[in-house]
């Protein structure tokens, strides 16, 4: 066996830690992408349920979220299997209004300002 220089041992440990950090970052990215997909799946289920219930439109975004999106997100089978919960901060949109305006959701719903 060759003697290990203390500096070399530190470099090896740093490289190991860096590898772990890089792996963790990759997990975060894939988790984020999965979360985005789950949010969109929940959105589609929520819109379907809203249309089936013949909810009068326009509907306030907060009402849609509370009455349809959150319940739909908990009804997904994968949510039960993984203990997944809708969290806007874990998505690339960060807020529901941004999701509605910038994701493929904009092809499904139209956001209007009711305050005008």
């Amino acid at each position: 066996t060759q003697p290990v220089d203390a500096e070399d041992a530190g470099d090896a440990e740093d490289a190991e830690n860096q590898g772990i950090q890089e792996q963790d970052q990759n997990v975060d990215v894939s988790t984020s992408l999965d979360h985005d997909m789950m949010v969109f799946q929940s959105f589609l289920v929520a819109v379907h349920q809203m249309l089936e219930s013949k909810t009068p439109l326009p509907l306030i975004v907060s009402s849609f979220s509370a009455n349809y999106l959150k319940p739909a997100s908990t009804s997904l089978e994968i949510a039960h299997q993984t203990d997944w919960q809708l969290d806007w901060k874990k998505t690339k949109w960060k807020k529901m209004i941004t999701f509605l305006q910038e994701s493929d959701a904009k092809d499904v719903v139209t956001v209007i300002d009711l305050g005008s």
Side-chain angles (χ1 to χ4, degrees):
T1 58
Q2 292 183 330
V4 177
D5 183 10
E7 188 175 320
D8 290 341
D11 290 344
E13 190 175 307
D14 289 344
E16 236 176 77
N17 289 337
Q18 186 176 7
I20 291 170
Q21 287 176 337
E22 288 171 3
Q23 283 180 330
D24 288 346
Q25 289 172 354
N26 289 339
V27 169
D28 289 345
V29 169
S30 66
T31 303
S32 174
L33 294 175
D34 291 344
H35 202 85
D36 292 351
M37 180 199 67
M38 295 280 290
V39 168
F40 191 74
Q41 291 286 329
S42 299
F43 168 75
L44 293 176
V45 170
V47 168
H48 179 74
Q49 291 172 345
M50 182 187 68
L51 293 174
E52 276 190 336
S53 69
K54 300 183 189 296
T55 301
L57 299 174
L59 182 64
I60 296 172
V61 170
S62 61
S63 295
F64 173 76
S65 179
N67 297 325
Y68 297 99
L69 187 60
K70 287 182 183 178
S73 71
T74 60
S75 73
L76 295 178
E77 184 176 332
I78 191 80
H80 293 289
Q81 295 171 354
T82 61
D83 220 11
W84 178 83
Q85 293 182 0
L86 189 147
D87 183 351
W88 287 108
K89 292 178 182 172
K90 291 183 180 177
T91 70
K92 64 182 173 184
W93 304 287
K94 306 297 180 208
K95 295 180 182 180
M96 184 173 176
I97 193 69
T98 307
F99 166 77
L100 293 173
Q101 293 171 333
E102 296 178 5
S103 74
D104 288 341
K106 70 182 180 297
D107 297 331
V108 179
V109 297
T110 302
V111 178
I112 59 172
D113 184 0
L114 296 176
S116 302

